[in-house]
Amino acid sequence: MLPTPTLSRKEPKPALSLKHLEGSRKGQTVKGLHEIKNYLERFGYANVHENNDEFDDVLESEIKAYQLNYNLEVTGMLDTQTLQQMMLPRCGVPDIDENGKSSMKWNHDGSLTNIDYGNLSSVCARAFATWAAVIPFHFKEVGGVEHADIYIGFRTGDHGDGKPFDGPLNIWAHAFAPTDGRLHYDATENWGTGPASDEIDLESITVHEIGHILGLEHSSDGSAVMFPHIGLGVAKRQLGSDDIIGVKTLYGLIG
């Protein structure tokens, strides 16, 4: 097992500092709009943008798609509700995949964070059981990675999978679709199992990321565990109807 590094705890920062863009709309040039373009590109709403601050037809169309996906008023402008949604910490898996439009074993490593092995093991067992309650899968923890189908661990920064973490808040975890099986948490986050008001609930995030491992994409239903945003101190551990219908449909359990 790797030695546990000492991680400095930075003061929390907002996921994105975008409030100065509030009210921006098509036809304007506003300093900082390139951040919105980068955000939308990262989460699947765009291909490649010019790195400028022009609010053009393409950007308006992408914002409308984002608003539609999150059940926001479709204005095509950067209104208060849209910016507030974008500034929330979220999962790193894109909302839209590259095409425009998941019985496994697992192993984990909790050595890089304040969450010890026992807590992580219990949290993961409960999270897998949540999904196993609605699909005919049996999940079992195994002792070595050579026997595992799913690999769970804490990572920091650029950790070799092409999806680097960015420090406290912003992106808190990511997982890969079948049959990759990797689930990574950002070790610099303030994880909790309670959770306290300044902590990210480990079990809620684990349930969400297992959904991606099973093959689910994000849901626009705010009550679903596959909704990509969650706030500090919030626990969302039970599957919603959209999650259940989605995973049963995916595995042919709904005709």
Side-chain angles (χ1 to χ4, degrees):
M1 180 175 290
L2 295 173
T4 302
T6 301
L7 298 175
S8 60
R9 178 63 57 198
K10 297 179 181 179
E11 287 297 316
K13 61 180 182 295
L16 288 172
S17 298
L18 303 175
K19 291 195 68 175
H20 65 289
L21 299 176
E22 188 172 334
S24 300
R25 63 188 70 207
K26 185 173 70 174
Q28 297 180 331
T29 299
V30 184
K31 185 176 180 180
L33 273 177
H34 67 278
E35 294 184 64
I36 297 292
K37 294 182 177 183
N38 291 340
Y39 179 95
L40 291 169
E41 182 177 336
R42 178 171 188 178
F43 295 113
Y45 294 90
N47 292 318
V48 178
H49 279 293
E50 291 186 23
N51 190 26
N52 60 38
D53 293 323
E54 296 180 9
F55 202 130
D56 54 19
D57 290 331
V58 174
L59 180 58
E60 182 187 53
S61 176
E62 291 162 0
I63 290 172
K64 285 181 177 180
Y66 179 88
Q67 291 168 331
L68 185 64
N69 207 32
Y70 285 92
N71 295 316
L72 300 169
E73 183 180 0
V74 181
T75 64
M77 62 179 288
L78 291 173
D79 51 44
T80 302
Q81 289 73 28
T82 302
L83 286 173
Q84 286 177 343
Q85 187 69 56
M86 288 180 171
M87 288 189 290
L88 287 173
R90 61 161 291 155
C91 172
V93 176
D95 296 337
I96 302 173
D97 67 18
E98 59 187 8
N99 299 313
K101 319 212 195 332
S102 299
S103 159
M104 294 169 280
K105 300 179 291 294
W106 57 281
N107 178 271
H108 61 67
D109 170 20
S111 61
L112 292 178
T113 183
N114 58 312
I115 301 295
D116 63 29
Y117 181 92
N119 281 335
L120 181 59
S121 180
S122 297
V123 164
C124 288
R126 290 195 300 270
F128 280 112
T130 296
W131 288 103
V134 298
I135 53 177
F137 283 8
H138 174 68
F139 299 97
K140 178 182 178 181
E141 182 179 3
V142 294
V145 296
E146 66 272 14
H147 303 298
D149 301 302
I150 299 172
Y151 309 89
I152 300 173
F154 289 85
R155 303 290 186 268
T156 59
D158 188 348
H159 50 281
D161 64 1
K163 296 182 180 294
F165 285 128
D166 48 13
L169 299 182
N170 297 321
I171 303 301
W172 24 252
H174 55 234
F176 296 83
T179 55
D180 186 298
R182 288 176 293 172
L183 190 170
H184 296 154
Y185 311 97
D186 186 346
T188 66
E189 304 290 357
N190 189 25
W191 296 99
T193 56
S197 61
D198 63 343
E199 293 176 335
I200 298 172
D201 184 47
L202 183 64
E203 186 171 339
S204 298
I205 302 310
T206 304
V207 173
H208 175 98
E209 299 301 339
I210 290 171
H212 288 311
I213 287 174
L214 292 171
L216 291 176
E217 297 178 359
H218 283 149
S219 171
S220 60
D221 182 349
S223 65
V225 299
M226 294 312 297
F227 189 72
H229 295 273
I230 191 170
L232 292 173
V234 176
K236 186 192 288 186
R237 304 173 178 178
Q238 300 302 315
L239 303 181
S241 58
D242 192 59
D243 304 307
I244 295 170
I245 292 171
V247 76
K248 286 188 173 183
T249 300
L250 185 64
Y251 287 98
L253 302 174
I254 295 179

PDB file of all heavy atoms in Angstrom, residues 159-176:
ATOM      1  N   HIS A 159      -3.828  11.868 -13.215  1.00  0.00           N
ATOM      2  CA  HIS A 159      -3.561  10.531 -12.709  1.00  0.00           C
ATOM      3  C   HIS A 159      -3.575   9.463 -13.803  1.00  0.00           C
ATOM      4  O   HIS A 159      -3.753   8.280 -13.520  1.00  0.00           O
ATOM      5  CB  HIS A 159      -4.545  10.171 -11.590  1.00  0.00           C
ATOM      6  CG  HIS A 159      -5.980  10.412 -11.946  1.00  0.00           C
ATOM      7  ND1 HIS A 159      -6.562  11.653 -11.910  1.00  0.00           N
ATOM      8  CD2 HIS A 159      -6.956   9.558 -12.337  1.00  0.00           C
ATOM      9  CE1 HIS A 159      -7.830  11.559 -12.268  1.00  0.00           C
ATOM     10  NE2 HIS A 159      -8.096  10.296 -12.537  1.00  0.00           N
ATOM     11  N   GLY A 160      -3.377   9.891 -15.061  1.00  0.00           N
ATOM     12  CA  GLY A 160      -3.112   8.936 -16.119  1.00  0.00           C
ATOM     13  C   GLY A 160      -4.291   8.394 -16.886  1.00  0.00           C
ATOM     14  O   GLY A 160      -4.108   7.518 -17.740  1.00  0.00           O
ATOM     15  N   ASP A 161      -5.506   8.899 -16.641  1.00  0.00           N
ATOM     16  CA  ASP A 161      -6.656   8.374 -17.389  1.00  0.00           C
ATOM     17  C   ASP A 161      -7.227   9.383 -18.382  1.00  0.00           C
ATOM     18  O   ASP A 161      -8.286   9.166 -18.952  1.00  0.00           O
ATOM     19  CB  ASP A 161      -7.744   7.886 -16.436  1.00  0.00           C
ATOM     20  CG  ASP A 161      -8.352   9.005 -15.589  1.00  0.00           C
ATOM     21  OD1 ASP A 161      -7.940  10.172 -15.745  1.00  0.00           O
ATOM     22  OD2 ASP A 161      -9.222   8.708 -14.748  1.00  0.00           O
ATOM     23  N   GLY A 162      -6.512  10.501 -18.571  1.00  0.00           N
ATOM     24  CA  GLY A 162      -6.975  11.523 -19.500  1.00  0.00           C
ATOM     25  C   GLY A 162      -8.008  12.458 -18.936  1.00  0.00           C
ATOM     26  O   GLY A 162      -8.495  13.351 -19.647  1.00  0.00           O
ATOM     27  N   LYS A 163      -8.371  12.295 -17.665  1.00  0.00           N
ATOM     28  CA  LYS A 163      -9.369  13.149 -17.022  1.00  0.00           C
ATOM     29  C   LYS A 163      -8.802  13.646 -15.685  1.00  0.00           C
ATOM     30  O   LYS A 163      -9.186  13.149 -14.621  1.00  0.00           O
ATOM     31  CB  LYS A 163     -10.681  12.392 -16.815  1.00  0.00           C
ATOM     32  CG  LYS A 163     -11.355  11.966 -18.114  1.00  0.00           C
ATOM     33  CD  LYS A 163     -12.664  11.257 -17.847  1.00  0.00           C
ATOM     34  CE  LYS A 163     -13.344  10.842 -19.142  1.00  0.00           C
ATOM     35  NZ  LYS A 163     -13.780  12.005 -19.937  1.00  0.00           N
ATOM     36  N   PRO A 164      -7.890  14.610 -15.727  1.00  0.00           N
ATOM     37  CA  PRO A 164      -7.244  15.066 -14.488  1.00  0.00           C
ATOM     38  C   PRO A 164      -8.223  15.752 -13.543  1.00  0.00           C
ATOM     39  O   PRO A 164      -9.175  16.398 -13.987  1.00  0.00           O
ATOM     40  CB  PRO A 164      -6.189  16.058 -14.987  1.00  0.00           C
ATOM     41  CG  PRO A 164      -6.708  16.526 -16.311  1.00  0.00           C
ATOM     42  CD  PRO A 164      -7.414  15.343 -16.908  1.00  0.00           C
ATOM     43  N   PHE A 165      -8.005  15.578 -12.246  1.00  0.00           N
ATOM     44  CA  PHE A 165      -8.797  16.285 -11.249  1.00  0.00           C
ATOM     45  C   PHE A 165      -8.222  17.695 -11.047  1.00  0.00           C
ATOM     46  O   PHE A 165      -7.055  17.954 -11.330  1.00  0.00           O
ATOM     47  CB  PHE A 165      -8.816  15.514  -9.932  1.00  0.00           C
ATOM     48  CG  PHE A 165      -9.713  14.310  -9.964  1.00  0.00           C
ATOM     49  CD1 PHE A 165      -9.248  13.058  -9.579  1.00  0.00           C
ATOM     50  CD2 PHE A 165     -11.026  14.414 -10.382  1.00  0.00           C
ATOM     51  CE1 PHE A 165     -10.072  11.942  -9.596  1.00  0.00           C
ATOM     52  CE2 PHE A 165     -11.876  13.307 -10.411  1.00  0.00           C
ATOM     53  CZ  PHE A 165     -11.390  12.067 -10.016  1.00  0.00           C
ATOM     54  N   ASP A 166      -9.084  18.582 -10.518  1.00  0.00           N
ATOM     55  CA  ASP A 166      -8.743  19.998 -10.495  1.00  0.00           C
ATOM     56  C   ASP A 166      -8.725  20.600  -9.094  1.00  0.00           C
ATOM     57  O   ASP A 166      -8.897  21.797  -8.932  1.00  0.00           O
ATOM     58  CB  ASP A 166      -9.725  20.778 -11.367  1.00  0.00           C
ATOM     59  CG  ASP A 166     -11.186  20.406 -11.087  1.00  0.00           C
ATOM     60  OD1 ASP A 166     -11.437  19.733 -10.057  1.00  0.00           O
ATOM     61  OD2 ASP A 166     -12.061  20.772 -11.874  1.00  0.00           O
ATOM     62  N   GLY A 167      -8.521  19.792  -8.072  1.00  0.00           N
ATOM     63  CA  GLY A 167      -8.466  20.332  -6.717  1.00  0.00           C
ATOM     64  C   GLY A 167      -9.833  20.389  -6.072  1.00  0.00           C
ATOM     65  O   GLY A 167     -10.834  19.938  -6.648  1.00  0.00           O
ATOM     66  N   PRO A 168      -9.927  20.931  -4.849  1.00  0.00           N
ATOM     67  CA  PRO A 168     -11.187  20.928  -4.097  1.00  0.00           C
ATOM     68  C   PRO A 168     -12.347  21.538  -4.875  1.00  0.00           C
ATOM     69  O   PRO A 168     -12.206  22.573  -5.516  1.00  0.00           O
ATOM     70  CB  PRO A 168     -10.850  21.758  -2.854  1.00  0.00           C
ATOM     71  CG  PRO A 168      -9.385  21.579  -2.679  1.00  0.00           C
ATOM     72  CD  PRO A 168      -8.830  21.523  -4.079  1.00  0.00           C
ATOM     73  N   LEU A 169     -13.503  20.873  -4.774  1.00  0.00           N
ATOM     74  CA  LEU A 169     -14.743  21.222  -5.472  1.00  0.00           C
ATOM     75  C   LEU A 169     -14.529  21.097  -6.984  1.00  0.00           C
ATOM     76  O   LEU A 169     -13.648  20.380  -7.427  1.00  0.00           O
ATOM     77  CB  LEU A 169     -15.252  22.599  -5.040  1.00  0.00           C
ATOM     78  CG  LEU A 169     -15.592  22.697  -3.550  1.00  0.00           C
ATOM     79  CD1 LEU A 169     -16.136  24.073  -3.211  1.00  0.00           C
ATOM     80  CD2 LEU A 169     -16.594  21.631  -3.136  1.00  0.00           C
ATOM     81  N   ASN A 170     -15.343  21.776  -7.771  1.00  0.00           N
ATOM     82  CA  ASN A 170     -15.361  21.593  -9.216  1.00  0.00           C
ATOM     83  C   ASN A 170     -15.739  20.149  -9.565  1.00  0.00           C
ATOM     84  O   ASN A 170     -16.874  19.770  -9.400  1.00  0.00           O
ATOM     85  CB  ASN A 170     -14.036  22.009  -9.850  1.00  0.00           C
ATOM     86  CG  ASN A 170     -13.756  23.481  -9.656  1.00  0.00           C
ATOM     87  OD1 ASN A 170     -14.646  24.309  -9.739  1.00  0.00           O
ATOM     88  ND2 ASN A 170     -12.515  23.804  -9.362  1.00  0.00           N
ATOM     89  N   ILE A 171     -14.814  19.318 -10.004  1.00  0.00           N
ATOM     90  CA  ILE A 171     -15.096  17.923 -10.355  1.00  0.00           C
ATOM     91  C   ILE A 171     -14.703  17.048  -9.182  1.00  0.00           C
ATOM     92  O   ILE A 171     -13.555  17.038  -8.759  1.00  0.00           O
ATOM     93  CB  ILE A 171     -14.304  17.484 -11.603  1.00  0.00           C
ATOM     94  CG1 ILE A 171     -14.610  18.409 -12.781  1.00  0.00           C
ATOM     95  CG2 ILE A 171     -14.633  16.031 -11.951  1.00  0.00           C
ATOM     96  CD1 ILE A 171     -16.065  18.457 -13.176  1.00  0.00           C
ATOM     97  N   TRP A 172     -15.668  16.276  -8.631  1.00  0.00           N
ATOM     98  CA  TRP A 172     -15.366  15.504  -7.438  1.00  0.00           C
ATOM     99  C   TRP A 172     -15.106  14.027  -7.694  1.00  0.00           C
ATOM    100  O   TRP A 172     -14.527  13.336  -6.872  1.00  0.00           O
ATOM    101  CB  TRP A 172     -16.472  15.622  -6.388  1.00  0.00           C
ATOM    102  CG  TRP A 172     -17.847  15.973  -6.865  1.00  0.00           C
ATOM    103  CD1 TRP A 172     -18.492  17.163  -6.680  1.00  0.00           C
ATOM    104  CD2 TRP A 172     -18.779  15.152  -7.579  1.00  0.00           C
ATOM    105  NE1 TRP A 172     -19.752  17.128  -7.232  1.00  0.00           N
ATOM    106  CE2 TRP A 172     -19.954  15.908  -7.794  1.00  0.00           C
ATOM    107  CE3 TRP A 172     -18.729  13.846  -8.058  1.00  0.00           C
ATOM    108  CZ2 TRP A 172     -21.070  15.415  -8.459  1.00  0.00           C
ATOM    109  CZ3 TRP A 172     -19.831  13.352  -8.736  1.00  0.00           C
ATOM    110  CH2 TRP A 172     -20.983  14.135  -8.929  1.00  0.00           C
ATOM    111  N   ALA A 173     -15.508  13.517  -8.872  1.00  0.00           N
ATOM    112  CA  ALA A 173     -15.293  12.107  -9.178  1.00  0.00           C
ATOM    113  C   ALA A 173     -15.611  11.871 -10.640  1.00  0.00           C
ATOM    114  O   ALA A 173     -16.221  12.706 -11.309  1.00  0.00           O
ATOM    115  CB  ALA A 173     -16.179  11.212  -8.305  1.00  0.00           C
ATOM    116  N   HIS A 174     -15.201  10.725 -11.148  1.00  0.00           N
ATOM    117  CA  HIS A 174     -15.643  10.282 -12.465  1.00  0.00           C
ATOM    118  C   HIS A 174     -15.530   8.768 -12.561  1.00  0.00           C
ATOM    119  O   HIS A 174     -14.810   8.134 -11.787  1.00  0.00           O
ATOM    120  CB  HIS A 174     -14.864  10.957 -13.606  1.00  0.00           C
ATOM    121  CG  HIS A 174     -13.371  10.802 -13.522  1.00  0.00           C
ATOM    122  ND1 HIS A 174     -12.517  11.886 -13.551  1.00  0.00           N
ATOM    123  CD2 HIS A 174     -12.574   9.715 -13.398  1.00  0.00           C
ATOM    124  CE1 HIS A 174     -11.264  11.454 -13.463  1.00  0.00           C
ATOM    125  NE2 HIS A 174     -11.269  10.145 -13.374  1.00  0.00           N
ATOM    126  N   ALA A 175     -16.273   8.209 -13.481  1.00  0.00           N
ATOM    127  CA  ALA A 175     -16.241   6.770 -13.723  1.00  0.00           C
ATOM    128  C   ALA A 175     -16.389   6.539 -15.213  1.00  0.00           C
ATOM    129  O   ALA A 175     -16.849   7.413 -15.953  1.00  0.00           O
ATOM    130  CB  ALA A 175     -17.350   6.063 -12.953  1.00  0.00           C
ATOM    131  N   PHE A 176     -16.010   5.340 -15.645  1.00  0.00           N
ATOM    132  CA  PHE A 176     -16.009   5.015 -17.059  1.00  0.00           C
ATOM    133  C   PHE A 176     -17.054   3.947 -17.357  1.00  0.00           C
ATOM    134  O   PHE A 176     -17.302   3.050 -16.558  1.00  0.00           O
ATOM    135  CB  PHE A 176     -14.617   4.528 -17.475  1.00  0.00           C
ATOM    136  CG  PHE A 176     -13.552   5.585 -17.332  1.00  0.00           C
ATOM    137  CD1 PHE A 176     -12.947   5.821 -16.105  1.00  0.00           C
ATOM    138  CD2 PHE A 176     -13.165   6.353 -18.421  1.00  0.00           C
ATOM    139  CE1 PHE A 176     -11.976   6.802 -15.961  1.00  0.00           C
ATOM    140  CE2 PHE A 176     -12.191   7.334 -18.286  1.00  0.00           C
ATOM    141  CZ  PHE A 176     -11.592   7.551 -17.058  1.00  0.00           C
TER     142      PHE A 176
END
